[in-house]
Amino acid sequence: MIKLVIALLGGILMGLSVAPVGAFYGAWIALVPLWVLLFYPQNEIKKNNLKVNRQARWKRNLLDNLKLFFNQKTLLAFLWGVGYHGLALFWITGIHPMTWMGVPWLTSLAIAIACWMLITFWGAVLVWTWAVGMSFFETLSIGKNLSDKNQLTGVDRALRILLGVALWCALETLWSHGPLWWSAIAYTQSPHNLLLLQLGQLSGFATVTAAIVAINGIFGEIILIIITKKSSRWGNFQLFLLPFSVLFSLHLLGFYLYNRPLNDLPSQAISMGIIQGNIPNQIKLYPQGLAKAIQGYTDGYQKLAESKVDLVLTPEGALPFYWKDIVDYSPFYQAVLKEKIPVLLGAFGRSEKDITNSLFVLDSEGKLVSRFDKVKLVPLGEYIPFRSIIGGLIKRLSPLEGQFTPGNPQQILMTPVGQAIAAICYESAFGETFRYQAFQGGEFIVTAANNAHYSQAMPAQHHAQDVMRAIETDRWLARATNTGYSAIINPQGRTIWLSKLDEYALHSGNIYRRQTKTLYVRWGDWLTPSLCLIAVGTVLWRHKF
C-alpha cells in the first residue's frame, strides 16, 4: 500500500509543477519515486537462475518481468500518471455547471467528472505504457546480468536512463499526434524557468522533456545504488554531483541562448491592438451576450484605430456569427470600413453542412484577404469522434447547431502586415502546427482563444503553452482571449504584457516580424528519433553479444 501512495504522491508533485501553482523545480525529482519503485531489485527474478543456461534464463526472466509489470509495477506507473494528469488537468471540471446550455445540474456534474476521468486515464496510460516498455527493453539490454540486478554496471544504468528518456519522448510525441493532448511534462517549466525552456529551440518540447526525465533517472539510479549499499558515504556525495552538474550545464546552455540579442529592427515593428471582450459563456450565444459582443468589440476596435495600430487581434469566436452575416449586418464591419485598420476577427465560417472556427483577415478596405480555420478541434466540445457510430448517443457539449469541421493543416495565414503563424485555442498545445507555419515563412504568431469554458487554472496553462511556442519558433507572439489571459510574449519567452482575468481589456503594443529559423523549425523533433535509434541499437547490440 505504501508503494501505491508514494507513486501517487510523485505524480501529484509533478502536477504541482505546472501553472498556475508553478512549482517547476519539483519536476526534477517528481519521477524519482516511481523510478526507484520500478527498478528496485526483485528477489523473485533471481531464484534458480544459475541452474539454467543463459538463453533459458533470459526467457524465464523476460516472462517474470512482464508478469510483474502487468501487475503491481504497472499499477504504480498508472497511479503516478493519475496523480500528474489528474491534478494538472483538473481545470476541465470547470465546464460544470452547464445549466445555461439546458443541461440539468446533476447531469452536468456527471459530464464534467466523466471528461476529467477520460483525459486523466489517457494521460495515465502513457505512463503505464512507458513502464511496460521499460520492463521489456531492460530485460533485453542487460540479459546476462538478470541473474542478479545488484550487479548492474554503470553502463547498464546509463543505458536504462537512455531507454527511459527515449521511450518517454517517443510516447509523448505519439500522444501529441492524437486528439487528446495537453500536458507534456515539458510544460511544467513554463512560464517560469525560461532558461531551460530555451532548449526548445533545438528540438521542440521533446528537448525539455528529455532533460527532465534524464535528471530524474540519474537521481533514481543514485538512490538505487545507495539502497543496495554499493557506495560509501563519500562515494554517495560524489554521485550526487552528477545530476546537479548536468542540471547546471543544461541551464548554462539555456542562459547562453536566452541572452543572445534579438536584433529587432524598427522597420519590422507591428503595432498590435488586442481586444479582450470578456463575454461570459453563460450569455455568449444568447441575445444579451451577442449584443454585448457587438458593442464591446466595435467600441474596442474604434478606440484602437484612434491610436493608429497596424493590426487589431480579437479572440476566438469574438463575434459568434457566420461571416456573411457579419458583412451584411454587423456594425463592427461598418467600423472597419470607416476606420480602415486591418483586423483579425474570430467568427464562424461554413463548410458544406458544418461550421468552421476561424480567424478572418480584413484589410484596410474591409476586404477579406485571408482566413485560418482551426485544425485541432476539441473532442466532444467541437466535434464528436466516430460520429457515424456514436453520434446518435452523444451530443456535443456546445449549444451551436451542427459541428465544427477541421481546417487544412497546411494552410497559411497572410495579413496586411506580413505572413502570420496562427493558432486557435487548443492548438497552442501542438508545437508542430507552429513549426510548420514558421518553416513556411511565418514572421510572427497570433493566437486566439476563448478560455471561458473552464476554471482559472486553464488560462494560466494556456499562457504557458504559448510561451513555449514563442521560444521554439523564435517569434514574437500576440494572443487575444475572451476572458484572459491575453498577452504579448517575446521570442525569449518573456511576457511583455499580460491581461487580468475576467476583465474587459484593450491593449496596444509592438511585436516584430522575424525571419530566423531555429534548429527545431528547420529539422523538427530530430532528438526523439535519434534517441530511439541509439537506445534500441545499443539494446540489440548488447543482447546479441
Side-chain angles (χ1 to χ4, degrees), residues 182-211:
W182 185 263
S183 48
I185 62 173
Y187 93 137
T188 60
Q189 303 303 294
S190 186
H192 302 294
N193 191 357
L194 292 182
L195 296 186
L196 200 282
L197 289 177
Q198 304 305 311
L199 301 184
Q201 298 179 36
L202 305 179
S203 189
F205 75 84
T207 326
V208 181
T209 290

Side-chain angles (χ1 to χ4, degrees), residues 364-386:
S364 58
E365 301 300 322
K367 180 182 178 181
L368 180 63
V369 296
S370 188
R371 166 180 169 179
F372 181 86
D373 299 331
K374 185 176 182 180
V375 179
K376 299 291 186 179
L377 302 178
V378 179
L380 298 183
E382 294 178 318
Y383 78 102
I384 300 174
F386 311 109

Side-chain angles (χ1 to χ4, degrees), residues 49-96:
N49 281 334
L50 297 178
K51 298 180 181 179
V52 294
N53 60 41
R54 180 189 295 182
Q55 183 177 6
R57 185 169 66 238
W58 176 84
K59 290 180 179 179
R60 173 171 181 161
N61 280 282
L62 174 59
L63 294 175
D64 287 342
N65 256 359
L66 289 176
K67 181 179 178 181
L68 186 63
F69 269 72
F70 274 107
N71 288 280
Q72 184 187 42
K73 291 195 174 183
T74 298
L75 180 59
L76 292 174
F78 187 84
L79 281 178
W80 190 97
V82 168
Y84 172 47
H85 294 279
L87 180 58
L89 300 174
F90 188 75
W91 49 259
I92 199 171
T93 58
I95 62 175
H96 172 74

Side-chain angles (χ1 to χ4, degrees), residues 353-531:
K353 296 181 180 180
D354 289 329
I355 311 167
T356 62
N357 189 350
S358 305
L359 277 177
F360 295 90
V361 182
L362 284 72
D363 66 12
S364 58
E365 301 300 322
K367 180 182 178 181
L368 180 63
V369 296
S370 188
R371 166 180 169 179
F372 181 86
D373 299 331
K374 185 176 182 180
V375 179
K376 299 291 186 179
L377 302 178
V378 179
L380 298 183
E382 294 178 318
Y383 78 102
I384 300 174
F386 311 109
R387 179 167 56 161
S388 61
I389 301 174
I390 63 174
L393 301 175
I394 301 177
K395 292 186 177 181
R396 195 166 40 82
L397 305 181
S398 170
L400 290 173
E401 298 178 0
Q403 76 166 0
F404 288 103
T405 188
N408 183 351
Q410 297 181 334
Q411 60 192 309
I412 298 298
L413 184 67
M414 298 300 302
T415 78
V417 295
Q419 184 175 330
I421 301 165
I424 299 177
C425 197
Y426 184 42
E427 294 177 317
S428 289
F430 298 86
E432 179 60 26
T433 297
F434 293 74
R435 189 203 73 83
Y436 173 81
Q437 295 182 68
F439 185 79
Q440 296 299 321
E443 299 175 303
F444 59 95
I445 300 173
V446 290
T447 66
N450 186 352
N451 286 357
H453 300 288
Y454 311 105
S455 76
Q456 293 187 355
M458 193 275 186
Q461 292 184 17
H462 202 162
H463 175 68
Q465 297 279 11
D466 277 358
V467 167
M468 294 176 65
R469 306 292 89 86
I471 294 171
E472 291 164 359
T473 56
D474 192 37
R475 294 293 187 269
W476 284 82
L477 184 149
R479 65 190 309 257
T481 70
N482 177 17
T483 54
Y485 296 109
S486 301
I488 290 179
I489 303 167
N490 80 357
Q492 298 166 324
R494 289 179 53 223
T495 301
I496 307 302
W497 169 76
L498 186 70
S499 71
K500 295 181 180 179
L501 290 175
D502 301 322
E503 288 187 4
Y504 180 84
L506 300 177
H507 180 78
S508 60
N510 281 353
I511 64 173
Y512 294 85
R513 294 185 293 269
R514 295 173 68 84
Q515 291 82 34
T516 58
K517 286 185 171 63
T518 64
L519 194 61
Y520 170 61
V521 169
R522 292 179 185 275
W523 292 1
D525 177 16
W526 54 269
L527 180 64
T528 296
S530 298
L531 289 172

